[in-house]
Amino acid sequence: MGRPVTGGVGAGRLLVGRCRLAFGGGPGSLRAMADPVIGIDLGTTYSAVGIVEAGFPILLADEEGERLMPSVAWFGPGVVKVGRAALREMAEGRLVRSAKRQMGVRFGEAPGACLPVVRASEGGMAFRTAEGEVTPVEVSRVLLSELKRIAEFRLEQEVRRAVITVPAYFNNAQREATKQAGEEAGLEVLRLVAEPTAAALAYGMDKLAERSRVAVFDLGGGTFDVSILELREGVFEVLATGGDTRLGGDDIDSVVLNLVARKAGLEGPALEMEGVDRDRLVREAERVKCELSREESAIFRAPFYDGSRSLEEQVERVELEGGMDSELATMRRICREVLVDAGMEVAGVEAVVMVGGSSRLPVVQRLAGEVFKQEPDCSQHPDEAVAIGAAIQAGILAGTWREVLLLDVTPLSLGVETLGGLMNVLIPRNTTIPCKVGEMFTNARDGQDSMQVRVLQGERELARDNWELGKFDLPFRSAPRGKARVGLQLSLDEDGILEVLARDVEGGGPDVIVKIESAAVDVSEEAVEQMVEE
């Protein structure tokens, strides 16, 4: 974008008790490594970077000694500021927050953006700031660039390789967008790791028996994930995963804000009018939510929120919990679906690990306890467990951590359209990745010499009810009906990114290989929920 990124001074989730954290002082506190691999938790609200050093996973702190960086960027005249440096600036239509919720989605699909949005190229969307348009990928790029800078500051050497976490329920387009942002930040993204998997990796190194099953309940700033994993003899296998990429702490902040507006006698649109500092209201709602996780009541204060009027309302914890009925019902349903997908009874789950900042809310912890019929384990740092897990995975890839095999799953089924407009599932949902599946197809009529291959994602029987990830034409040697042989192979790599290979088996023509990139399909969480239920 041609503007420098600034952060730090002047620019303005494993092992409790074992995790040594670098902070304070100057650079050089860590020994140089031959070719370090860093682990990054690119969060909706906060992000963090870590590494395995001397056999221990650590999180790297910035110059101010802070391990968690707010996931916000401020786009000013000729300069971009990130993290706390961005929060110190006046918003003025320049501050972008929660960009992760808009990753890999089409214009008009994801409501509730922090700034007005416009249509970008290829059907995507962009935030309209006072300095021009900026895409979610560009915002993530500057966040990742700052995390890379922090790592290089601490390690005193260049960092080129990284592991980045993503919500377990991110689709192909969202994973591709995350990987693209990392590459644009100058990083070779070795692996995309699901956030609950990273949290389980952090939790399980010391605490689980040789063979155990654990549920990870991850309620972050913008997304909600639940995964059930099994650890056996050093192998971490994801048995099932589910989630909602439109449910998180941001939505609970909105519950707080709407509650305050009602108590003050204001209509919702009154807080959207010109002159209202919406960003300041959201930040205050977040503060109140955090306080209500510890106290029974809190005071919401917003002096001169529109230039002349002020807001000051007391909010009770019981009032917030009463306003979260919809969010809690969604969490409960997803937890039960994941148990069904894993083919397990509640008694088979030996631990329920709570991670994500909003998991601190007592009502959320009670819900997890009720669904899994046991006291949830809150021993992990809610904001740091995922980053610690990312650092461990980075250490595994770099050879600085003892060998562990991590087996993740794909959250939605993948297949192709066949005769009659049906969806032929080649890779069912919750299949362990990486995986490679092939199937043979034939021609539907005499003299046919080509076919269109439509690659689909979803759970519905009819092709038209699923999401098209891509399509291409495959030529083959003309043959009588049912005599041609066309081979199709779908490959999912460790990051959950799809590659399709098509081959004319009889005719011996050249292979057609299509990598599904930036497949920004119109996927709403309501549609996913309905599809899975049906």
Side-chain angles (χ1 to χ4, degrees), residues 261-388:
R262 286 198 302 272
K263 290 168 77 80
L266 298 172
E267 297 294 332
L271 299 180
E272 304 285 350
M273 294 173 59
E274 188 175 350
V276 173
D277 190 346
R278 176 79 180 183
D279 187 73
R280 186 157 68 96
L281 294 177
V282 170
R283 275 192 269 176
E284 178 64 7
E286 181 186 4
R287 186 197 66 78
V288 169
K289 174 193 69 177
C290 293
E291 189 169 337
L292 290 176
S293 69
R294 305 183 300 269
E295 308 293 340
E296 294 293 331
S297 65
I299 305 295
F300 182 101
R301 293 186 178 90
F304 308 112
Y305 69 94
D306 63 353
S308 60
R309 293 177 295 176
S310 299
L311 274 175
E312 184 167 326
E313 296 289 340
Q314 180 165 310
V315 182
E316 304 293 334
R317 179 190 289 175
V318 67
E319 293 176 315
L320 172 59
E321 295 177 353
M324 291 173 56
D325 286 346
S326 173
E327 289 79 9
L328 295 171
T330 299
M331 295 179 213
R332 184 179 290 108
R333 175 185 54 75
I334 291 172
C335 289
R336 289 173 175 164
E337 286 175 356
V338 170
L339 281 168
V340 172
D341 288 343
M344 289 179 58
E345 298 294 333
V346 170
V349 177
E350 296 172 48
V352 182
V353 182
M354 305 294 289
V355 293
S358 293
S359 71
R360 291 184 174 95
L361 286 167
V363 67
V364 173
Q365 296 175 6
R366 289 200 303 271
L367 180 142
E370 291 167 5
V371 172
F372 292 100
K373 301 187 186 310
Q374 61 182 284
E375 191 70 23
D377 188 315
C378 302
S379 64
Q380 304 302 292
H381 191 298
D383 299 311
E384 296 182 357
V386 169
I388 289 292

Side-chain angles (χ1 to χ4, degrees), residues 134-154:
V134 58
T135 67
V137 170
E138 289 173 316
V139 177
S140 296
R141 174 185 64 78
V142 299
L143 296 176
L144 291 168
S145 295
E146 175 64 6
L147 294 168
K148 178 177 182 286
R149 185 200 66 79
I150 291 170
E152 291 176 338
F153 166 76
R154 285 296 171 195

Side-chain angles (χ1 to χ4, degrees), residues 120-141:
S121 61
E122 300 179 358
M125 55 83 69
F127 302 101
R128 190 173 71 234
T129 75
E131 288 300 306
E133 299 173 9
V134 58
T135 67
V137 170
E138 289 173 316
V139 177
S140 296
R141 174 185 64 78

